[in-house]
Amino acid sequence: MESIKRIPSLPAALSSLVLLISAVVPLATAEPTLTDDSQCGCYRNNDDTSTYFTNHRFFDFRSLADYAGVPAVVQDLEGSPGAPVTSDYFKSTDWTSFWWLGSWNNSNNARGDSTVTMTNSPNNVYIEANTEPDPSSQTYLTMRTQRLRGFQTAAEIESVSSDFKYLSLRMRARTVGAAGAITGMFTYRGGETLADVQEADLEIRTADPRNVMHYTNQPAYTDDGEVIAEATRNATMPGGLDWTAWAVHRMDWTPGLTTWYVDDEMTAQIAFQAPRDESNVILNVWSDGGKWTGNMTLLDAAYLQVQWLEIMYNNTDPEHATKNSKVRRDDDAAEGKGCGAVCSVDDTPELGKPVMLWNNAAVGVREAGAGRLIAWVPTGVVLVMALLSTGLLV
Ligand SMILES: *[C@@H]1O[C@H](CO)[C@@H](O)[C@H](O)[C@H]1NC(C)=O
Ligand SMILES: *[C@@H]1O[C@H](CO)[C@@H](O)[C@H](O)[C@H]1NC(C)=O
Ligand SMILES: *[C@@H]1O[C@H](CO)[C@@H](O)[C@H](O)[C@H]1NC(C)=O
Ligand SMILES: *[C@@H]1O[C@H](CO)[C@@H](O)[C@H](O)[C@H]1NC(C)=O
C-alpha cells in the first residue's frame, strides 16, 4: 500500500522528465554561442578540409561616418607618395597594427611592358559615405586610381607582416569605374626572379566584361612572355551578378591549394603553384598602360570599394601570431594542448564576431567552463530533490 501511494502521478513524472531533459540537453548539444576572439584558441574554416587557423581579424568600414570624406586627388607626381592619410581612422592602432598604405612607384619598371608612370598614394585610400539608394552600409573604404596628366595615381594597402602562412581572406566589395584598371586582393612573396615570386590573386580588369574575374597562382607567364595556362582561371561571377555589385569575395590559401569563392559559392580552385612560403596580404587598384591593365583615358578613374574585410590566418612571426588570443597562449605554453577552444566565424549570427563551437581546453575549465560547473551543482541538487519528492528515486 505504501509503495502504491509513492507511485508518482503522471503529471509529476512528466514534469520530472522535463526537468531532467532541460538540465542535460544544453550540455549534450552545446549550441554554438557568440563569444569574442580572446576566448578562441583557433578558428575552424568551413572549407572541404575544415582547416584551422589560430588568428582572426575583422575590419569593419560600414559605420565610420566620423571619418568619411572624399579627398581631392593630388595632381602632381612628386606630392603623391608623401601625401598624409585621409582621416584619423588610418592612424588608429586597429588599422596600423595590421595594415600600411603603399607609396611606391613603378620607376623600376618591374613589369616590362608598362607605358605609364604610376605612383601609389595614401591620399587614394579613404572612408566614403554610401549615397546609393537604400544603402547596405552607411560608409565603406574606397581605394582609387585615376589617370592624370603625365602619370597614373593608384592605391595599395599592404599587411605590416610578411609572415602569413595560410589564410582565409574575405571582403565584401565591388569594383566600379572606367576601363583600364585592375583591382586586386592577393597574397605576395617577392623573389629575385619572376619564377621565384609566389602569389595567389583575385584580379578584376575593368576593361573586361563585367562578370569576368581572374584567379591566379602567379607567375602566370614566363620571362619570354609565354602564358602558363595551369596557373590561372577566368571565372564568372555566380548568380548572374557582375563585379560592380556588392559581393563577398573570398580566397582560401591552404597547404598546396588556393580556393576562391563569391558569396559562399566556389568559383575556382588551383593546386598548381599554390604559394608555399610566408607572404604579405595586399589589396590594390592600379594601371600602368601595359597589356594586362590597358590604358586609362585621361581623367578617368576606377575604384575598389570595401564594406568589410575579414581574415583568419596563421602567421609564423610570434608577434603577429599571438594577437588577441589569450586562451591559446596560456594553453599552448602551459600544456601544449594546441587548439582546445574552437571557434567559427562562418556560422555566426553576428558578422565579424566568432561563435564557440567547442571547448576542450584545460584552460576552458578554468575560464569559460568554471561558471558552468558551479551552475551545475544546484541544478543537480534540485533535480535529485524533484525526483525524491515524486518518489522516482525510492
Ligand atoms: C595553423 O596553426 C595551427 C596551430 O599550429 C595548426 O594546428 C593548423 O593546422 C595550422 N593551419 C594550417 C592551415 O596550416
Ligand atoms: C619613385 O621611387 C623611387 C625609388 O623608391 C624614388 O627614388 C623616387 O623618388 C620615386 N619618384 C617619385 C616621383 O616619387
Ligand atoms: C582570360 O581572360 C583574358 C583577359 O580578359 C584573355 O586575354 C584570355 O584569353 C582569357 N583566357 C581564356 C582561356 O578565356
Ligand atoms: C597605352 O598608350 C601608349 C601610348 O601612350 C601606347 O604606347 C601603349 O601601347 C598603350 N597600351 C595599350 C595596352 O594599348
Side-chain angles (χ1 to χ4, degrees):
M1 292 303 277
E2 214 29 45
S3 62
I4 289 171
K5 264 192 185 162
R6 280 183 172 217
I7 290 174
S9 66
L10 195 60
L14 273 179
S15 71
S16 297
L17 205 60
V18 167
L19 197 63
L20 183 73
I21 288 167
S22 65
V24 170
V25 165
L27 197 72
T29 58
E31 269 298 303
T33 47
L34 209 55
T35 183
D36 65 76
D37 288 315
S38 70
Q39 300 303 314
C40 298
C42 68
Y43 302 84
R44 188 178 66 172
N45 202 19
N46 68 345
D47 57 3
D48 287 351
T49 54
S50 285
T51 314
Y52 292 81
F53 300 104
T54 54
N55 299 271
H56 169 237
R57 293 289 297 266
F58 182 65
F59 300 91
D60 194 350
F61 312 118
R62 293 172 300 170
S63 309
L64 297 176
D66 287 353
Y67 303 104
V70 178
V73 175
V74 175
Q75 298 291 332
D76 64 303
L77 178 60
E78 290 69 26
S80 295
V85 294
T86 57
S87 82
D88 283 349
Y89 177 75
F90 301 102
K91 296 178 182 167
S92 66
T93 48
D94 189 42
W95 177 265
T96 59
S97 63
F98 200 92
W99 301 109
W100 59 279
L101 302 177
S103 58
W104 55 268
N105 65 60
N106 67 348
S107 61
N108 64 358
N109 197 23
R111 299 182 65 88
D113 74 341
S114 66
T115 61
V116 175
T117 299
M118 179 188 86
T119 186
N120 288 289
S121 174
N123 183 60
N124 291 328
V125 181
Y126 49 89
I127 304 296
E128 181 168 359
N130 190 345
T131 55
E132 73 200 30
D134 197 13
S136 55
S137 72
Q138 195 184 15
T139 53
Y140 46 74
L141 175 113
T142 295
M143 300 175 68
R144 170 174 65 191
T145 185
Q146 187 172 22
R147 181 67 181 267
L148 302 173
R149 269 169 231 290
F151 74 107
Q152 179 90 22
T153 191
E156 179 157 283
I157 72 174
E158 187 166 335
S159 62
V160 172
S161 171
S162 307
D163 291 319
F164 292 88
K165 190 170 173 184
Y166 308 127
L167 52 77
S168 178
L169 176 63
R170 299 103 181 264
M171 63 173 183
R172 185 160 203 264
R174 65 180 180 187
T175 292
V176 292
I182 305 287
T183 66
M185 177 182 91
F186 54 107
T187 67
Y188 182 76
R189 180 185 178 89
E192 294 286 300
T193 67
L194 180 61
D196 289 339
V197 169
Q198 298 179 31
E199 177 177 340
D201 280 349
L202 152 66
E203 287 178 291
I204 289 166
R205 299 172 75 234
T206 57
D208 275 343
R210 286 180 167 190
N211 61 351
V212 174
M213 297 167 299
H214 303 276
Y215 297 126
T216 311
N217 288 336
Q218 300 281 3
Y221 53 95
T222 64
D223 284 320
D224 308 330
E226 246 174 81
V227 173
I228 307 173
E230 312 102 284
T232 188
R233 302 276 185 282
N234 291 351
T236 50
M237 291 281 287
L241 287 176
D242 67 50
W243 34 251
T244 61
W246 294 110
V248 178
H249 293 272
R250 166 173 163 186
M251 184 174 78
D252 285 9
W253 167 36
T254 53
L257 199 62
T258 315
T259 310
W260 291 266
Y261 305 80
V262 174
D263 288 341
D264 291 326
E265 193 167 312
M266 192 193 292
T267 41
Q269 191 164 56
I270 307 178
F272 180 76
Q273 242 168 221
R276 299 170 304 281
D277 299 304
E278 285 82 347
S279 301
N280 279 100
V281 177
I282 302 177
L283 265 58
N284 66 6
V285 293
W286 61 284
S287 173
D288 66 359
K291 256 214 295 282
W292 181 235
T293 69
N295 275 313
M296 190 168 259
T297 303
L298 183 64
L299 300 184
D300 270 359
Y303 310 87
L304 175 62
Q305 297 177 328
V306 184
Q307 288 189 354
W308 52 261
L309 257 170
E310 184 162 43
I311 179 170
M312 285 186 280
Y313 62 94
N314 282 3
N315 189 302
T316 60
D317 175 354
E319 197 189 321
H320 291 277
T322 54
K323 282 243 159 58
N324 64 33
S325 197
K326 177 164 57 83
V327 174
R328 180 173 43 76
R329 218 178 319 161
D330 292 352
D331 196 38
D332 282 351
E335 300 157 63
K337 278 209 164 37
C339 179
V342 180
C343 293
S344 165
V345 300
D346 296 302
D347 304 318
T348 178
E350 193 180 327
L351 183 69
K353 263 196 104 148
V355 288
M356 181 74 73
L357 296 179
W358 66 85
N359 188 350
N360 295 330
V363 66
V365 176
R366 281 203 309 275
E367 293 190 354
R372 184 183 271 171
L373 280 181
I374 290 160
W376 257 89
V377 177
T379 309
V381 170
V382 167
L383 188 65
V384 168
M385 286 170 70
L387 292 174
L388 278 175
S389 77
T390 60
L392 274 182
L393 286 190
V394 178

